[in-house]
Amino acid sequence: MNQETGRGAGTIADEPKRGGFRLAAYAVCVEDGRVLLAHHASGCWTLPGGRVEHAEDPFDAVVREFAEETGCDAVVDRLLGVDSRVIPASEAHAGVSHQNVGVFYRVRITGGVLRPEPNGEIVGSAWTPFPEVASLRRSSLVDVGLALARSLPATGHVAPVPVTGLIEH
């Protein structure tokens, strides 16, 4: 680390900040024409799930995150697919571009009771009928997960979701 600039060795002073990378696992839990959505403290709806920890398998991460955020136990029924997107600095919360790679799984609840995430950012979860999803302020992850669940593409890949209107990064 350079004592004067606070930058690592080999960093050029005018070089833009490099973005981050995030690997996350998300649960798509569908039942009777409804999807289970998590309500983030920001007011945005999203899928239960989150960061895959170092040395953790995404398969295990989605089960852990689902339990932490919803209070319910779940099992994975199948891998739905993978979504990779770069969020530009101008749209990123931290002001630095980053890449998010999301692994989406279809899950089924096996026990527990829905509740807010203790000491977390998920203030509640709700079963939401498919037609009502379009009227919610939501993460693009919701649309990606539902597209994967509906189409079950052999490649595990769907077209990028445009981030406009009620859809956010």
Side-chain angles (χ1 to χ4, degrees):
M1 175 81 69
N2 181 313
Q3 296 292 328
E4 292 176 27
T5 65
R7 295 176 180 262
T11 304
I12 299 169
D14 293 327
E15 182 178 293
K17 281 187 183 178
R18 287 200 182 143
F21 176 83
R22 181 174 190 253
L23 176 62
Y26 301 103
V28 181
C29 188
V30 172
E31 193 175 282
D32 301 324
R34 307 172 302 165
V35 60
L36 184 65
L37 296 179
H39 197 204
H40 192 272
S42 68
C44 188
W45 290 89
T46 189
L47 293 172
R51 182 180 307 278
V52 176
E53 301 296 335
H54 176 72
E56 184 178 32
D57 188 303
F59 184 93
D60 297 326
V62 76
V63 171
R64 174 185 55 76
E65 286 281 349
F66 191 87
E68 288 174 5
E69 293 183 356
T70 69
C72 292
D73 298 321
V75 294
V76 172
D77 281 338
R78 68 167 290 152
L79 172 68
L80 293 173
V82 176
D83 179 67
S84 176
R85 63 186 56 235
V86 174
I87 301 171
S90 61
E91 298 173 25
H93 298 293
V96 177
S97 70
H98 69 275
Q99 180 181 12
N100 187 68
V101 175
V103 182
F104 292 78
Y105 295 94
R106 185 174 65 204
V107 304
R108 175 173 40 87
I109 293 177
T110 58
V113 176
L114 288 178
R115 53 113 179 104
E117 180 181 22
N119 305 312
E121 297 179 329
I122 300 301
V123 297
S125 298
W127 286 102
T128 308
F130 292 140
E132 292 179 22
V133 172
S135 66
L136 298 174
R137 183 173 156 237
R138 64 197 183 278
S139 166
S140 59
L141 300 170
V142 173
D143 293 66
V144 170
L146 288 177
L148 286 165
R150 277 189 210 106
S151 62
L152 297 175
T155 61
H157 190 263
V158 293
V161 170
V163 179
T164 62
L166 294 173
I167 303 174
E168 304 175 357
H169 283 295

